[in-house]
Amino acid sequence: MAYIGNQVTSVPFTIDLFSGDGSTTFFGPLVRSPATVASVAVHVNGLYKTPGVDYTVNSNYISFTVAPAVGTNNIANAGTITGTTITATTGIFGGTY
């Protein structure tokens, strides 16, 4: 099939899962280093967190302004954008990961 513009590429889908302990604010490393803080979709206990407000990204680590609550795999990152490659999913954020 012919393409106009850049060749379409795909990468394996990944989800980063971390467990909160109520005091840790720094989590990682992420499987892929995001281009910017807005390039990741972070959820804690199923609730979307706002980039730049609830968390920042330092290299391939997420730094929260307030430590996430205690839970097993209750912190999820999906949809990391790295440069021009986009990977995303829907339907995974329902509470327990």
Side-chain angles (χ1 to χ4, degrees):
M1 171 186 262
Y3 294 95
I4 296 174
N6 293 332
Q7 177 70 31
V8 175
T9 60
S10 64
V11 294
F13 181 77
T14 60
I15 298 173
D16 298 294
L17 294 175
F18 303 102
S19 298
D21 63 8
S23 62
T24 301
T25 59
F26 202 63
F27 295 88
L30 303 175
V31 174
R32 294 191 182 92
S33 295
T36 69
V37 67
S39 301
V40 296
V42 175
H43 294 72
V44 176
N45 291 329
L47 300 174
Y48 176 75
K49 296 300 175 182
T50 305
V53 175
D54 297 317
Y55 68 93
T56 58
V57 174
N58 180 358
S59 183
N60 63 336
Y61 287 81
I62 297 171
S63 179
F64 288 94
T65 53
V66 176
V70 174
T72 301
N73 291 336
N74 65 329
I75 304 162
N77 166 50
T80 299
I81 302 170
T82 57
T84 58
T85 302
I86 300 173
T87 56
T89 190
T90 57
I92 65 166
F93 305 111
T96 303
Y97 302 102

